Amino acid sequence: DTEVTQTPKHLVMGMTNKKSLKCEQHMGHRAMYWYKQKAKKPPELMFVYSYEKLSINESVPSRFSPECPNSSLLNLHLHALQPEDSALYLCASSQDRGTAAFFGQGTRLTVV
Amino acid sequence: AQSVTQLGSHVSVSEGALVLLRCNYSSSVPPYLFWYVQYPNQGLQLLLKYTTGATLVKGINGFEAEFKKSETSFHLTKPSAHMSDAAEYFCAVTRRAGYSTLTFGKGTMLLVSP
């Protein structure tokens, strides 16, 4: 099983809403990631969770909040988002940091 | 610091023609190298990777890439393009050791015409 599962596939939310994106992998990988991807651009790293340690891209605003309930799950909590946060959000996992990452299908987020 | 340059934001080929997507990297230490493919509104799929050993790497869907240290390149090729190959392709690099994450190139859109 080389699958990373993301839910939901699509999400529309208002600027005052609170929502969560979920990501799950059962490959025994020890690193999990959240990326943001705008149209016609490469993915931008937001967060890395590896060996129970969270690394944050300092340019990511605090309205995005990651949570790792266990080694197989990675959530991304969203609060008070802006329209410019509309994008494809990708979760990925890898055996270790610096090895090949496997990506989920993404959540298409639209903020209205 | 490491970086990746993909030459050409768009590459157009005819069905059956050779596919060549270029990737050059800059890294202070020998890197790991990857090619990913992304179809519209989907996630990234790993095509192939180079970590160590043979410099010619074969991947899925008939693609292959060759690591050339002297040229700091990792170009992606396929002998005969198929319509289903039309997609965005990303080259990525990461450091061999240490606490590293993927650095992506800007991507190349492959267009395949009948």
Side-chain angles (χ1 to χ4, degrees):
Chain A
D1 184 5
T2 57
E3 197 169 279
V4 176
T5 304
Q6 288 188 241
T7 55
K9 286 186 169 41
H10 302 274
L11 178 62
V12 179
M13 60 185 290
M15 289 187 284
T16 58
N17 291 162
K18 286 184 181 181
K19 296 287 185 183
S20 297
L21 308 184
K22 298 186 183 300
C23 176
E24 186 171 13
Q25 58 91 11
H26 293 291
M27 295 177 276
H29 287 174
R30 292 173 283 191
M32 296 186 74
Y33 314 80
W34 280 112
Y35 287 85
K36 174 184 178 181
Q37 187 180 27
K38 301 286 274 185
K40 310 295 185 187
K41 299 289 187 182
E44 298 175 45
L45 183 64
M46 301 175 73
F47 305 102
V48 181
Y49 199 88
S50 176
Y51 292 97
E52 301 182 1
K53 180 180 176 182
L54 177 66
S55 299
I56 300 171
N57 180 337
E58 293 183 353
S59 67
V60 175
S62 59
R63 54 187 182 266
F64 294 91
S65 174
E67 177 202 13
C68 194
N70 60 54
S71 60
S72 299
L73 294 172
L74 185 64
N75 300 324
L76 185 62
H77 301 301
L78 315 172
H79 173 54
L81 295 192
Q82 302 298 308
E84 60 265 27
D85 296 321
S86 299
L88 182 66
Y89 287 83
L90 294 164
C91 176
S93 71
S94 64
Q95 182 62 42
D96 284 295
R97 283 188 68 159
T99 59
F102 293 87
F103 285 79
Q105 291 299 293
T107 294
R108 174 66 64 185
L109 174 67
T110 303
V111 182
V112 298
Chain B
Q2 54 198 21
S3 65
V4 177
T5 302
Q6 291 185 239
L7 291 177
S9 59
H10 292 80
V11 170
S12 295
V13 300
S14 299
E15 192 173 20
L18 172 71
V19 175
L20 171 60
L21 304 183
R22 299 178 186 275
C23 173
N24 288 88
Y25 68 90
S26 172
S27 178
S28 56
V29 296
Y32 291 152
L33 294 154
F34 310 88
W35 275 100
Y36 286 88
V37 61
Q38 186 176 32
Y39 298 98
N41 292 312
Q42 294 191 25
L44 278 69
Q45 181 181 14
L46 180 65
L47 273 178
L48 49 79
K49 62 182 179 181
Y50 171 75
T51 55
T52 187
T55 56
L56 181 62
V57 180
K58 294 187 184 300
I60 61 172
N61 302 339
F63 285 94
E64 62 182 37
E66 186 170 11
F67 171 62
K68 292 187 176 181
K69 184 178 178 180
S70 61
E71 299 177 9
T72 61
S73 69
F74 191 57
H75 301 331
L76 182 71
T77 61
K78 182 174 180 177
S80 177
H82 193 272
M83 296 295 289
S84 60
D85 295 326
E88 185 88 29
Y89 291 80
F90 292 99
C91 182
V93 63
T94 188
R95 284 203 308 268
R96 283 180 175 272
Y99 214 47
S100 180
T101 54
L102 291 171
T103 298
F104 286 95
K106 292 187 176 181
T108 299
M109 176 63 73
L110 177 64
L111 306 169
V112 182
S113 56

